[in-house]
Amino acid sequence: MDAATLTYDTLRFEYEDFPETKEPVWILGRKYSVLTEKEEILLDVTSRLWFTYRKNFPAIGGTGPTSDTGWGCMLRCGQMIFAQALVCKHLGRDWRWMKGKKQTDNYYNVLNAFIDKKDSYYSIHQIAQMGVGEGKSIGQWYGPNTVAQVLRKLATFDTWSSLAVHIAMDNTVVMEEIRRLCRFNYPCPGASAFPTADSDLLSNGYPDGAECTDRLLLWKPLVLLIPLRLGLTDINEAYIETLKHCFMMPQSLGVIGGKPNSAHYFIGYVGEELIYLDPHTTQPAVEPIDSCHIPDESFHCQHPPCRMSIAELDPSVAVNKGKGASTESLLTHGGRRMMIS
């Protein structure tokens, strides 16, 4: 059997369990002990949305690829990190997915925004076609910076989530730009964009009966994307502890990167190993049963997550943070710019 078409049911026995260690396990800002909280660790990992290669989805652009196997791994990692932002916004960091448990409408609205079809906000179709404007032809492999730029553009159409997305270039976070981006300039932006209950735009991630209430907030939730190069050909050891610290921050959405031409979504670490979700499994495309329900088991990784030595990481990464309505108080560092070192 071709390894590219294996599902997690076939592969699960090849994954190593967490080592029995006294070292803490950090998953997206949460600290665990393997010795006493292994089930909690696995439940947290399983609850993250897991996007992999898919096959037999509608052709991208009408005549393009019907599978992203071999080229879409970084696009899928971008989906995973943005899905985590939407989960935190609409469901909360404490939300957990359990097999067979009934989920809320907001959960399906989040998942719908990533389904492989042309009219989902963050679908492989939208990312691939938006990438053409970044100089990437459909079917071409992306780097972390390219996928960050594309997701920033797509987020402007997601009026339900209403995220402010900022990409910090040249290792610099410009405070004024973030404040300007996060503040609403009018009381209810995008209100006219909300569909009626029978509109097919529900599949884009709009909740049924969505109202303007959230738009009255004066501060948009921020997704901060920081493309970095942590060395020349290998990661510089000087950055390792700082990289670990990123996973300890409660605002962490994770890191996208990996090895050359092989992208992973890093969600934590234990000892000197990074913990990640791997998109390199091809699964059949999923068709929603209706606008409010999707067969969702294949979107959750139900085996122990992959691990790799931090020293193996390609130095080109994108670090991601998300903050809610209280972000502004964290951006008053007294200077115009904050350097990322």
Side-chain angles (χ1 to χ4, degrees):
M1 181 183 291
D2 185 351
T5 63
L6 296 176
T7 66
Y8 89 87
D9 286 323
T10 311
L11 291 172
R12 59 184 173 182
F13 301 111
E14 298 181 15
Y15 289 86
E16 296 181 6
D17 206 347
F18 279 100
E20 297 293 324
T21 176
K22 293 182 180 179
E23 295 270 8
V25 175
W26 284 93
I27 303 290
L28 298 176
R30 298 294 172 88
K31 183 180 180 181
Y32 297 99
S33 167
V34 176
L35 302 179
T36 60
E37 299 176 295
K38 184 177 291 187
E39 291 300 318
E40 288 85 348
I41 295 171
L42 295 177
L43 182 58
D44 196 347
V45 172
T46 299
S47 298
R48 302 313 108 212
L49 284 172
W50 180 45
F51 297 118
T52 71
Y53 292 149
R54 296 279 175 172
K55 60 180 180 179
N56 300 327
F57 50 64
I60 296 175
T63 58
T66 58
S67 172
D68 62 311
T69 299
W71 60 271
C73 56
M74 183 60 78
L75 284 68
R76 296 300 184 180
C77 289
Q79 285 183 320
M80 284 190 270
I81 210 161
F82 241 68
Q84 180 60 19
L86 267 62
V87 165
C88 289
K89 166 97 168 43
H90 298 293
L91 302 172
R93 180 63 182 88
D94 293 329
W95 170 81
R96 295 292 181 265
W97 180 87
M98 295 182 185
K99 185 177 181 179
K101 178 182 177 181
K102 180 177 175 58
Q103 297 296 332
T104 65
D105 288 346
N106 271 0
Y107 164 77
Y108 289 111
N109 290 325
V110 169
L111 188 53
N112 258 315
F114 297 89
I115 290 296
D116 299 321
K117 56 184 182 179
K118 65 179 182 179
D119 57 350
S120 294
Y121 282 129
Y122 308 105
S123 67
I124 194 79
H125 299 66
Q126 294 281 9
I127 298 175
Q129 292 185 292
M130 186 67 76
V132 174
E134 296 294 324
K136 297 290 185 179
S137 59
I138 294 174
Q140 187 175 356
W141 195 86
Y142 284 23
N145 180 56
T146 301
V147 78
Q149 296 289 349
V150 168
L151 289 168
R152 177 184 61 83
K153 293 179 179 179
L154 292 176
T156 62
F157 300 99
D158 183 2
T159 53
W160 176 49
S161 300
S162 195
L163 299 174
V165 181
H166 180 72
I167 301 176
M169 301 304 296
D170 301 320
N171 298 343
T172 304
V173 176
V174 183
M175 298 305 178
E176 285 90 339
E177 290 183 12
I178 291 178
R179 293 192 187 99
R180 183 170 58 251
L181 188 66
C182 290
R183 290 193 184 109
F184 280 116
N185 294 322
Y186 34 89
C188 191
S192 62
F194 280 94
T196 59
D198 59 351
S199 171
D200 59 5
L201 283 177
L202 180 64
S203 63
N204 273 348
Y206 288 99
D208 190 16
E211 297 179 353
C212 176
T213 307
D214 291 342
R215 301 301 187 272
L216 299 177
L217 295 175
L218 299 179
W219 191 259
K220 295 181 184 179
L222 169 68
V223 175
L224 177 60
L225 306 169
I226 310 174
L228 297 171
R229 190 159 189 88
L230 305 179
L232 296 178
T233 57
D234 301 298
I235 185 170
N236 189 319
E237 291 184 3
Y239 296 118
I240 289 178
E241 291 305 314
T242 303
L243 180 62
K244 288 181 179 181
H245 187 74
C246 292
F247 298 108
M248 300 167 64
M249 302 175 72
Q251 307 95 338
S252 176
L253 299 177
V255 174
I256 53 177
K259 301 175 183 179
N261 297 325
S262 182
H264 303 311
Y265 172 41
F266 297 97
I267 58 174
Y269 80 94
V270 54
E272 299 304 312
E273 291 185 315
L274 294 173
I275 300 166
Y276 65 91
L277 296 179
D278 189 349
H280 298 91
T281 296
T282 300
Q283 303 186 82
V286 171
E287 283 289 333
I289 294 175
D290 53 49
S291 61
C292 297
H293 183 70
I294 303 170
D296 65 344
E297 288 188 21
S298 66
F299 294 100
H300 294 274
C301 182
Q302 298 172 62
H303 56 64
C306 304
R307 304 192 312 276
M308 63 176 273
S309 169
I310 297 177
E312 297 178 34
L313 182 67
D314 185 278
S316 180
V317 299
V319 178
N320 299 260
K321 290 175 59 182
K323 285 299 294 179
S326 61
T327 309
E328 187 167 17
S329 63
L330 299 178
L331 296 176
T332 55
H333 294 291
R336 181 173 184 275
R337 297 173 182 263
M338 180 178 68
M339 299 302 296
I340 306 300
S341 60

